[in-house]
Amino acid sequence: MQINQSWKYALLILAIFFVSINLRPAITSIGPLLTTIGGSLQVSSTQMSLLTSIPVFCMGLFAPLAVPLQKKFGYRNAIVFFVFLIGIATLARIYFINYSGLLITSFVVGIGIANISPMMNAFIKEKFPTKFGSVIGVYSFAMGFGATISAGFTGIFYEQFHSNWALALGVWGILAFVAILCWLVAVGGNQTVEVGQNQTEEVRNPWKNKQAWAILLYFGLQTSLFFSLTTWLASIAMEQGMTLLIAGSVLTLMSVVQLVGNIFIPVVMNHYPNRIKWLASLIGIGFIAAFIFFIDTNWAIWTSAVLFGVVLSGLFPIGLMLPLDEAKNNQEANAWSSMVLSGGFMMGAIIPLVIGVIFDMTGNHLMTKVVIVLLFIALAISVLIMKSLKRVQYA
C-alpha cells in the first residue's frame, strides 16, 4: 500500500526532527557539569572550555566536506553515518573517564555535526522549496529541544547516577540510534535527487561574494553568543551562590524559552518576513538582557536567561535562512550553507575559549559579561553590513 504524499512529508519532517535533536546534547551537556568535571579531573577552566570549543571548531573546519560527501553517498547514507558517529562518540564518554577521552570524543562529535548541518539545510531546501522557513523552524526547534533536555537533565542524571558525570554525559548517545531508525524509515531505500542534478543555472561561488561573507560574519557572532552562554551561564549562576542544580535550572530556563521561540518565530516570519527588522528587534532585546546581566542578584540572572532565550531563538533560525534566501538553486543552497556554517562555527569556537582564559586569569565572570555586550555590538554591526549590501531588505 503506497503512502500518500502528505504522509511522506510528515515522515520526513519527523526524521529531520529526530536527527536534529542529536546536534547539541554532546556539547550542551557539558555546561551544567563544567565546574564539577573540572574539579574531578583537576583541569583549568581554559581546558574545560576546549570541550565546547573543539567540537564547534570542528563543526566549521569539516563543514566543506558535506558537499562532496553528499554527492558521493546521498543524503540517506551520509546522514546515517554521521549520526552514528555522534552516537558512538557520546556513548564512549561512559568508558573513557579522563580529559583526553573527552577531548577526542568532542572532536569526533564535531565532525559529525559539521557534515549533518549543511546537508540538512540543503535537504530541507530541496524537499520543501516553498515552505523551507517553516521546516527550518522544526529543524532549529529540534536542536533547541536537544539543548534543552541535555541542559535540564544532565545535572539530574548526575545526581541519580550517584555523581557519575561520565554516565550523565554518555547517556545522550542513545538518541542517535533512535534518530537513525526514524531516518531510515522516512527516507527508505530511495536516494533523494542529488544536489545540482539537472540544474543548468550558474552557481555563484560564495567565497567570492561579499553578501556571503557578511552572512558568515553574522552567523559566527550568533554562534559565539549561543555557545558562550550555554557553556558559562551555569558557572556564572554558581558564582552568584546558586547550587549546581539551581544553576542548571537557569540554563534550562534559557533553553526552554529558546525552544518555544525556535518553532514560533519562523512561523510568524512567514507573515512578517523582513529579516532585518527581526534582527534589529532581537539584538535590541539582547542589549537589555546583557545590561541586566551586570546586576549581581538572582532575579537579574533569571530575567537575563529569559531574554537571552528569546534572542537566541530568533538569531539561529534566521542565520540558517539567510544563505537559503540568497541561493538560486539547491546546489547553491548547499554551497552557501556549507560556507556560512564552516566559517561561522570556527568563529563560534573562539569566544567560549577566550572566556575560559579570562576566567582563569581573573577568577570571576565580570569580563564574561563584558564579552557578551561586545558580541551584541558586533552583531548590530554585521546586520548593518548585510543591509548595506542587500538591494532588497530580505523581505
Side-chain angles (χ1 to χ4, degrees):
M1 178 177 171
Q2 189 174 8
I3 302 175
N4 64 40
Q5 198 68 12
S6 296
W7 276 105
K8 285 183 179 179
Y9 283 128
L11 280 174
L12 282 178
I13 291 173
L14 187 66
I16 289 168
F17 178 84
F18 278 104
V19 168
S20 303
I21 284 177
N22 288 272
L23 303 184
R24 289 296 178 266
I27 302 173
T28 52
S29 60
I30 297 288
L33 299 180
L34 195 73
T35 304
T36 302
I37 298 171
S40 173
L41 298 179
Q42 296 184 323
V43 296
S44 68
S45 297
T46 302
Q47 289 174 292
M48 285 303 299
S49 63
L50 282 172
L51 300 179
T52 298
S53 294
I54 283 178
V56 177
F57 186 80
C58 289
M59 286 159 62
L61 182 64
F62 294 101
L65 294 177
V67 175
L69 288 174
Q70 184 276 317
K71 287 181 178 179
K72 184 173 179 62
F73 299 107
Y75 290 115
R76 177 180 179 271
N77 295 333
I79 288 179
V80 164
F81 173 75
F82 287 113
V83 173
F84 178 78
L85 203 64
I86 292 171
I88 289 297
T90 307
L91 285 171
R93 290 175 167 177
I94 298 174
Y95 304 100
F96 298 103
I97 312 176
N98 53 59
Y99 182 68
S100 297
L102 288 175
L103 283 179
I104 293 168
T105 55
S106 294
F107 181 82
V108 175
V109 164
I111 294 174
I113 299 172
N115 285 277
I116 292 172
S117 295
M119 284 186 196
M120 192 62 76
N121 238 24
F123 180 79
I124 291 170
K125 176 76 170 180
E126 179 180 314
K127 303 302 291 185
F128 303 91
T130 61
K131 297 182 178 179
F132 73 84
S134 298
V135 183
I136 285 290
V138 174
Y139 173 38
S140 57
F141 173 81
M143 281 191 279
F145 183 73
T148 300
I149 59 175
S150 61
F153 284 94
T154 299
I156 295 172
F157 288 158
Y158 173 75
E159 298 286 344
Q160 293 297 314
F161 297 152
H162 307 291
S163 301
N164 187 333
W165 57 261
L167 189 55
L169 295 181
V171 70
W172 297 108
I174 296 171
L175 293 174
F177 299 94
V178 177
I180 290 171
L181 179 61
C182 292
W183 182 257
L184 289 174
V185 170
V187 178
N190 297 320
Q191 292 290 306
T192 56
V193 177
E194 298 292 343
V195 172
Q197 183 176 337
N198 298 325
Q199 292 178 352
T200 58
E201 290 184 73
E202 181 184 354
V203 177
R204 295 169 299 161
N205 184 349
W207 297 99
K208 297 180 180 180
N209 188 289
K210 290 181 180 179
Q211 188 62 273
W213 280 99
I215 295 171
L216 186 157
L217 175 63
Y218 161 78
F219 192 84
L221 290 167
Q222 70 83 27
T223 301
S224 299
L225 179 67
F226 172 78
F227 285 109
S228 295
L229 287 171
T230 53
T231 302
W232 293 105
L233 184 60
S235 178
I236 293 169
M238 290 177 70
E239 184 180 76
Q240 293 186 193
M242 295 182 179
T243 65
L244 186 148
L245 285 180
I246 296 176
S249 297
V250 174
L251 182 57
T252 302
L253 176 63
M254 184 186 77
S255 299
V256 168
V257 174
Q258 182 184 354
L259 182 65
V260 174
N262 279 158
I263 196 69
F264 175 73
I265 289 179
V267 172
V268 177
M269 285 183 69
N270 285 331
H271 302 285
Y272 305 97
N274 191 303
R275 311 289 196 241
I276 298 297
K277 289 181 179 178
W278 275 98
L279 290 174
S281 301
L282 290 166
I283 292 170
I285 295 170
F287 275 117
I288 296 171
F291 286 114
I292 292 175
F293 214 25
F294 282 90
I295 303 172
D296 193 18
T297 60
N298 286 352
W299 70 263
I301 198 167
W302 287 103
T303 303
S304 292
V306 171
L307 295 177
F308 283 140
V310 172
V311 173
L312 294 173
S313 71
L315 294 184
F316 179 70
I318 292 174
L320 293 177
M321 290 177 193
L322 289 175
L324 301 185
D325 289 335
E326 289 287 337
K328 295 179 179 179
N329 51 55
N330 295 330
Q331 192 173 359
E332 275 197 5
N334 203 339
W336 281 59
S337 293
S338 178
M339 176 204 171
V340 168
L341 270 62
S342 175
F345 281 128
M346 281 195 279
M347 282 180 60
I350 297 169
I351 302 301
L353 180 60
V354 169
I355 291 173
V357 172
I358 294 172
F359 182 63
D360 277 336
M361 293 171 61
T362 63
N364 63 70
H365 279 296
L366 176 61
M367 288 306 299
T368 303
K369 298 173 183 179
V370 172
V371 169
I372 299 301
V373 173
L374 293 175
L375 282 174
F376 279 110
I377 293 171
L379 274 166
I381 293 170
S382 73
V383 172
L384 289 174
I385 294 171
M386 285 192 291
K387 183 180 178 181
S388 69
L389 291 172
K390 186 69 178 177
R391 291 187 298 273
V392 181
Q393 296 182 7
Y394 293 107

